[in-house]
Amino acid sequence: MELSVQALIFLFSTMLIIGVLATKFSTRLGLPSLVLFLLVGMFLNNYIFFENAKLSQLIGIVALIIILFEGGTQTKWGNIRPVLGAAGILATIGVLITTVVTGIAAMYILDLSLLEGMLFGAIVGSTDAAAVFSVLGNKNIKRRITSTLEAESGTNDPMAVFLTVTFIEVIQLPDSSIWTAVGSFFWQMGIGLVIGILLGKATTTVINKITLDASGLYPVLALACAIFTYAFTSAVGGSGLLAVYVMAVYIGNNDLMYRFSILRFNEGFAWMMQIIMFILLGLLVFPEQLLEIFWQGLFLSVVLMFIARPVGVFLSMLFMKYSGKEKTFISWAGLKGAVPVILATYPTLAGVENSQLIFNVVFFVVLTSALIQGSTLSWLGSKLKLTETRQASPFPTMELITLGRSGAEIMEATISENTPATGVTLEDLTLPEETLITAIIREGKVITPTGSSILQTGDTLYVLTHKKQRDQVRALLFGKKKAKKTEEKDERKTKKVHKD
């Protein structure tokens, strides 16, 4: 039935309200929120007819851009740098092995051709960033493991997209050259990486240099740059999703004005897009169609969770310095989410035979993966003794809400050892005019600054100053050489001090 504008607005608001409330229930039930979002979409399907796969694909891609951008800005370079090799292998070789094993199983279970089976394997072969970021965010799993999974999920989308598009092309054009496709993959990865770094630098520079009328415009500018990064990279034949993630990691680990406003805006917007995306994807599925492929979907879910993913992980990480328990957990944490469902729309739009069957089984696999694997991650982590007591943020976050055209800001600076400001009283600091240290955070406690306050290693300062004086203030606190270093490195040292 055709809905009026008022009905569509009402539906949109209802989706968001139900989605937000669903997160509360998902926490109590120990389920990933995306499961309830999908179920809400399937429930609404009983009252609303929706089958626009192209629109769902478009909204899904935009949502993935926002989710990857939010996840990337929250990722600490110091955490992922040691695991980049393992994550890179998992994101490429691991996905390929998982695809092959799952594809062979799908060929027999779904009675497909070999190429169609491989297409199914490619669609479900990768882990999903939205699912991993949301599920692991509140788990006390060891940082090394979560960093590996987050880096893998943030970088394996190009491999999944490449394999999916390649198999569709080979199915439709049997004479296509596989070597051309392989060359295209390396081009996409390389261009995506380079453009992501370059536009990350450009975005950081623009945000730090430009003066806007309201602080609320800076998050919009940052998000617009992320979307532009995807569009530009895709236009030149690179991997847009990889570029967005790399660009976000660069931004999140460099000195950035209005950091708190940008991060909080991204977090809220990413949640909204997750809700919309998963509910829309749920609307594409008719529950009765899932019942028709229940046993086939269940068998393939078992193969993927207990055979294909573990084989891919253990073989690709054969020479990595990870214990058997860690590899087991990484195998089980290969969560599926929005990316497989979005990729499942590609065969439908391309007119591939059996595309509807593939879509329905992919959706079933995603649902069971999120339901079974997502809800048991904490339990498995505890059983394998891979949990740790997560230290709360070493200092609370403060923000000056709006500064208009004044150009003033509150900058955050963490004192490292062997810097000029260490052991110096505030009255001995020659701060620039109209510069004020508003708070000192020491071991999680707020200290009111006075002239006799002595700065110590690990102290986090909140300094009210004009943005033109940022470099001068940092030079005063850290010295000229260290003034240009990123806050990420200072934060890493601070965490080490607190841990010791």
Side-chain angles (χ1 to χ4, degrees):
M1 62 178 177
E2 186 175 349
L3 299 177
S4 64
V5 174
Q6 291 81 1
L8 286 173
I9 294 174
F10 177 78
L11 175 63
F12 180 75
S13 62
T14 303
M15 286 169 56
L16 290 179
I17 292 172
I18 294 176
V20 171
L21 295 178
T23 62
K24 187 69 175 179
F25 288 108
S26 68
T27 302
R28 292 186 176 182
L29 296 175
L31 297 174
S33 54
L34 66 90
V35 173
L36 296 184
F37 298 157
L38 290 172
L39 293 178
V40 168
M42 294 173 63
F43 172 77
L44 292 176
N45 200 350
N46 294 317
Y47 306 97
I48 302 168
F49 181 75
F50 180 81
E51 59 176 2
N52 194 330
K54 191 170 185 178
L55 177 61
S56 297
Q57 185 183 101
L58 174 62
I59 294 176
I61 291 174
V62 173
L64 285 177
I65 294 171
I66 296 168
I67 292 167
L68 279 173
F69 183 63
E70 192 269 339
T73 54
Q74 300 279 10
T75 299
K76 299 302 179 185
W77 175 246
N79 292 333
I80 68 169
R81 182 171 55 183
V83 300
L84 275 182
I89 293 295
L90 284 172
T92 51
I93 305 300
V95 171
L96 181 61
I97 295 173
T98 304
T99 295
V100 172
V101 175
T102 307
I104 294 174
M107 178 180 67
Y108 291 103
I109 295 175
L110 298 179
D111 193 23
L112 301 174
S113 66
L114 177 60
L115 287 177
E116 289 174 339
M118 291 299 167
L119 174 59
F120 176 87
I123 291 173
V124 299
S126 65
T127 59
D128 182 71
V132 170
F133 289 152
S134 62
V135 172
L136 291 181
N138 59 351
K139 309 296 183 187
N140 292 326
I141 306 301
K142 287 184 177 180
R143 174 56 63 187
R144 180 171 181 248
I145 301 175
T146 57
S147 296
T148 302
L149 289 166
E150 288 173 359
E152 178 204 1
S153 65
T155 57
N156 68 4
D157 291 337
M159 187 66 172
V161 173
F162 160 73
L163 290 174
T164 299
V165 173
T166 298
F167 283 122
I168 291 176
E169 184 176 343
V170 173
I171 289 173
Q172 296 183 322
L173 301 171
D175 296 331
S176 300
S177 172
I178 189 67
W179 297 113
T180 302
V182 172
S184 174
F185 170 73
F186 285 105
W187 169 265
Q188 291 178 33
M189 295 289 285
I191 291 297
L193 180 62
V194 171
I195 293 180
I197 294 174
L198 292 177
L199 290 184
K201 290 182 178 180
T203 301
T204 303
T205 301
V206 169
I207 291 175
N208 287 339
K209 297 296 183 182
I210 195 172
T211 301
L212 300 175
D213 290 343
S215 60
L217 292 174
Y218 288 91
V220 178
L221 175 62
L223 188 59
C225 289
I227 298 174
F228 174 81
T229 298
Y230 174 87
F232 179 76
T233 307
S234 299
V236 298
S239 172
L241 294 177
L242 177 63
V244 169
Y245 184 71
V246 171
M247 170 250 200
V249 172
Y250 184 92
I251 291 175
N253 288 273
N254 278 277
D255 188 19
L256 190 68
M257 286 186 60
Y258 298 97
R259 174 185 297 275
F260 181 76
S261 296
I262 292 172
L263 295 183
R264 294 289 76 79
F265 177 86
N266 289 344
E267 183 180 19
F269 201 27
W271 269 109
M272 185 180 76
M273 293 308 297
Q274 278 194 64
I275 294 171
I276 295 173
M277 173 179 61
F278 285 117
I279 291 180
L280 275 181
L281 293 176
L283 281 171
L284 289 175
V285 176
F286 296 93
E288 58 272 15
Q289 292 180 348
L290 293 185
L291 294 176
E292 295 174 0
I293 51 90
F294 178 83
W295 291 110
Q296 297 97 314
L298 185 61
F299 288 151
L300 281 171
S301 296
V302 170
V303 169
L304 185 59
M305 288 187 289
F306 292 95
I307 301 176
R309 169 69 177 178
V311 168
V313 170
F314 276 85
L315 286 182
S316 62
M317 300 182 72
L318 192 60
F319 302 105
M320 298 290 176
K321 294 181 180 179
Y322 285 75
S323 66
K325 290 182 178 180
E326 290 175 328
K327 292 177 183 178
T328 299
F329 184 86
I330 291 174
S331 300
W332 190 247
L335 298 172
K336 313 304 171 187
V339 171
V341 181
I342 293 172
L343 290 179
T345 64
Y346 282 41
T348 301
L349 295 176
V352 174
E353 188 178 359
N354 295 315
S355 59
Q356 188 59 48
L357 171 64
I358 292 174
F359 181 89
N360 290 336
V361 178
V362 166
F363 189 93
F364 187 93
V365 168
V366 168
L367 197 59
T368 52
S369 171
L371 186 62
I372 298 173
Q373 292 176 294
S375 61
T376 56
L377 279 180
S378 291
W379 173 83
L380 182 62
S382 298
K383 288 293 182 181
L384 296 177
K385 298 181 179 179
L386 298 176
T387 58
E388 64 182 5
T389 302
R390 283 286 176 85
Q391 190 176 24
S393 178
F395 44 81
T397 304
M398 300 176 65
E399 175 188 31
L400 197 57
I401 296 175
T402 178
L403 297 168
R405 299 184 179 181
S406 67
E409 65 157 335
I410 288 185
M411 62 176 288
E412 180 184 292
T414 302
I415 302 298
S416 303
E417 56 185 343
N418 300 323
T419 57
T422 305
V424 177
T425 61
L426 294 186
E427 62 184 0
D428 292 332
L429 286 176
T430 308
L431 294 171
E433 292 185 2
E434 299 182 353
T435 298
L436 178 67
I437 296 179
T438 60
I440 302 174
I441 311 299
R442 182 176 297 158
E443 297 181 353
K445 297 180 180 180
V446 180
I447 298 175
T448 303
T450 63
S452 60
S453 298
I454 301 175
L455 298 181
Q456 300 178 9
T457 299
D459 285 354
T460 297
L461 311 182
Y462 287 91
V463 186
L464 175 62
T465 186
H466 195 282
K467 71 179 197 177
K468 293 181 179 179
Q469 298 173 331
R470 286 172 62 88
D471 293 339
Q472 185 179 354
V473 172
R474 291 184 65 81
L476 177 66
L477 296 175
F478 307 116
K480 292 183 178 180
K481 293 183 179 179
K482 292 192 176 182
K484 295 183 179 180
K485 291 186 177 181
T486 64
E487 289 182 355
E488 188 275 330
K489 185 173 182 179
D490 292 330
E491 183 180 2
R492 188 166 68 251
K493 289 182 179 179
T494 302
K495 288 185 176 180
K496 184 177 184 300
V497 171
H498 286 304
K499 184 177 180 181
D500 293 339

